[in-house]
Amino acid sequence: MFLIGANFRKARSKKDKEKQGVVYYRITIPKSSGGSPEERVVNSSVRGGDDGVLDAEREVIVGDLRLLYCVVERLEDAGKGFTIDDVAEGFRKALAGDVSMKNVIAKSKTDFPLRRDIVSVGRKYKNEFRYVGPTPASESRSVTTTSSHPETAAGFTGYLSALLQTSGNGSGPSYRQKINNLRSSLRNFSGGDSIGFEKIDGRFVADYASWLKSTGIAETTRAFYLGILRTVLGRAYADGLIPSCHDWFRGLNTKASREAGKRDKEVPDRELLLKIKHLSLADDRRLSLYRDMFMFGFYCGGMELVDIANLTWQNVIGENLVYRRRLVGVEKRVRLGLQAMELIDSHKSEGSDRLFPLLDENGSKLFVTERNYVASGMKEIGKMAGFPQLTFSMNIDAYNRLVSTVNIAELLLGD
């Protein structure tokens, strides 16, 4: 099962302010047996100044998505093993009009239903297509890597169990088990019925929160389930399956689980942070970048890797950092201190608008891939500092822990 969709990427050229952004197509497939997911992006020929082009060029984009489907279908029907790279390469050739893809191109210009066992189209363009179930041949030869269809909430959590286990919010089999527990909880809440995304809104979230409370489970457990659901719906929004959901959880506690059950030794203390800060990493630009992004996140009150990776100079307004959290859509404003500014100044690069060069301008570096490199690099940094369990998200934990030990008001007005 491939999830396909279209997104818009703004131009980030400091020299050419009039340069247009590009529409790109994202192809995603999780790995079987709980492995890491795979994701590829292919740029289109569609350009525009903002994401309004996604509607203005709707007909072209829908045609390209149908073409992408045809590429997947041909590989599927060939009855041979194929990879996500085969799909991306075939799609690039088809977009370029390669003669070897003439039959695929011709079919894409006709109207026919898409097989649900092959692809799921993101919500924004989902209704532009008709769908049918799997054919008998495809049932025995499918490349689907999860038995649940991602058009339902429970199915989508199963799909995300592979995607999220390396997200920095948790790791390995234990986190996969926790998200699977959410799937079971949703099934119990709905009486075993499948919950389509069209049924999920703020009222659904409020009813689910009330139901959790009625079961008598602890507040920290309720907060955990709601926090994971928030993450899942944030990804569903990013994939175009639901409208913006950032206000659906207003007034609900979704953060108690972050500190619940943590032991002091699992969170970096002040001495360890200073040791990490002063590590000599000049000979390893990769680890130096990861360390600086980690410390920048700490200086900014705790930040997720995905948010830091996507920061540009447009997010720096005067002495403030203003950005929108990727998973929940909430805008945050942080006062930048001297040390935070020194870090981003040290990574300033000609021709790039990003604050940190983890990703590139043309989109060839995928976040899901770079995230895995960062996770591995943080372990190396942790070993150097005598804290081998170090993860990137601990910049948030460390900030929260240290702030909780200080009375900020008295510190500001102390004699």
Side-chain angles (χ1 to χ4, degrees):
M1 168 76 67
F2 290 88
L3 177 64
I4 62 176
N7 300 83
F8 175 76
R9 183 190 306 113
K10 289 184 178 180
R12 297 187 175 92
S13 174
K14 296 179 68 176
K15 294 182 178 179
D16 184 2
K17 298 297 184 181
E18 301 301 319
K19 185 176 181 180
Q20 293 187 316
V22 62
V23 172
Y24 66 94
Y25 302 106
R26 183 168 60 189
I27 312 165
T28 308
I29 185 170
K31 282 285 190 179
S32 59
S33 302
S36 298
E38 287 190 88
E39 195 168 282
R40 300 291 184 271
V41 296
V42 178
N43 286 343
S44 76
S45 60
V46 181
R47 298 292 189 273
D50 55 42
D51 59 7
V53 71
L54 293 171
D55 289 316
E57 298 293 337
R58 194 176 191 87
E59 185 175 347
V60 175
I61 295 170
V62 168
D64 286 350
L65 288 173
R66 188 178 292 277
L67 180 61
L68 173 53
Y69 168 85
C70 289
V71 171
V72 177
E73 184 185 60
R74 186 175 80 158
L75 290 168
E76 169 73 12
D77 289 344
K80 301 177 182 179
F82 64 96
T83 69
I84 194 171
D85 289 314
D86 296 326
V87 175
E89 180 60 24
F91 184 42
R92 290 189 184 96
K93 288 183 177 180
L95 284 174
D98 191 290
V99 66
S100 66
M101 306 298 288
K102 63 179 182 179
N103 291 335
V104 170
I105 297 171
K107 180 174 181 179
S108 74
K109 298 183 183 299
T110 64
D111 183 29
F112 59 90
L114 277 56
R115 283 164 33 196
R116 292 184 182 277
D117 62 304
I118 292 181
V119 301
S120 176
V121 182
R123 180 180 181 275
K124 187 171 183 64
Y125 301 102
K126 182 184 182 66
N127 292 334
E128 300 288 345
F129 302 95
R130 294 180 293 115
Y131 303 89
V132 294
T135 64
S138 67
E139 287 175 344
S140 61
R141 197 174 64 244
S142 174
V143 296
T144 302
T145 57
T146 176
S147 60
S148 298
H149 196 281
E151 292 179 359
T152 65
F156 197 68
T157 55
Y159 168 79
L160 284 184
S161 64
L163 290 174
L164 294 178
Q165 66 178 356
T166 56
S167 68
N169 294 321
S171 60
S174 64
Y175 194 72
R176 182 177 176 82
Q177 182 59 50
K178 290 173 182 176
I179 198 169
N180 285 338
N181 288 344
L182 173 64
R183 296 176 69 191
S184 298
S185 177
L186 287 173
R187 289 194 180 101
N188 290 335
F189 168 62
S190 64
D193 296 331
S194 295
I195 306 170
F197 279 118
E198 71 280 358
K199 298 180 181 179
I200 296 182
D201 54 17
R203 181 71 265 168
F204 172 89
V205 172
D207 289 345
Y208 177 59
S210 297
W211 176 81
L212 286 172
K213 187 173 183 178
S214 71
T215 64
I217 60 176
E219 169 66 19
T220 53
T221 305
R222 295 202 304 271
F224 168 78
Y225 279 127
L226 291 172
I228 296 299
L229 178 62
R230 186 174 191 165
T231 300
V232 168
L233 294 183
R235 179 57 191 248
Y237 165 68
D239 286 341
L241 296 173
I242 59 172
S244 179
C245 59
H246 71 272
D247 61 340
W248 292 356
F249 292 83
R250 188 168 297 164
L252 298 176
N253 180 11
T254 62
K255 297 182 179 180
S257 60
R258 179 178 293 282
E259 291 298 322
K262 284 186 178 290
R263 299 185 299 272
D264 288 342
K265 68 177 182 179
E266 293 179 336
V267 178
D269 56 19
R270 182 177 183 276
E271 288 69 27
L272 179 60
L273 287 171
L274 288 171
K275 189 178 296 185
I276 293 172
K277 172 185 175 180
H278 294 299
L279 280 175
S280 178
L281 299 174
D283 295 333
D284 193 323
R285 295 178 62 185
R286 177 181 62 98
L287 293 185
S288 179
L289 172 63
Y290 301 162
R291 186 268 310 279
D292 288 353
M293 293 177 72
F294 176 88
M295 293 305 303
F296 180 82
F298 173 78
Y299 293 142
C300 292
M303 289 182 66
E304 300 284 357
L305 176 62
V306 65
D307 292 325
I308 300 176
N310 285 284
L311 290 175
T312 70
W313 283 101
Q314 296 174 11
N315 296 113
V316 180
I317 302 176
E319 297 181 343
N320 295 311
L321 179 73
V322 181
Y323 69 99
R324 191 170 294 277
R325 292 185 60 191
R326 287 286 172 129
L327 292 180
V328 296
V330 176
E331 183 176 280
K332 295 199 68 175
R333 180 180 292 265
V334 180
R335 184 80 168 181
L336 289 171
L338 178 61
Q339 296 186 69
M341 287 299 300
E342 287 178 347
L343 286 177
I344 57 179
D345 284 340
S346 69
H347 289 282
K348 186 181 295 185
S349 173
E350 190 70 30
S352 174
D353 197 34
R354 294 188 185 275
L355 298 193
F356 296 95
L358 184 71
L359 305 177
D360 53 21
E361 299 300 305
N362 59 22
S364 62
K365 287 185 177 181
L366 298 176
F367 174 73
V368 291
T369 302
E370 296 303 313
R371 180 184 60 199
N372 292 337
Y373 292 148
V374 172
S376 177
M378 293 308 298
K379 289 184 179 179
E380 293 183 52
I381 293 171
K383 289 178 181 178
M384 295 179 189
F387 193 82
Q389 64 268 44
L390 184 68
T391 64
F392 194 90
S393 64
M394 285 183 179
N395 80 77
I396 305 172
D397 301 325
Y399 177 84
N400 290 336
R401 182 62 59 85
L402 289 178
V403 168
S404 70
T405 66
V406 179
N407 187 312
I408 301 297
E410 291 191 5
L411 186 65
L412 292 173
L413 299 181
D415 295 330

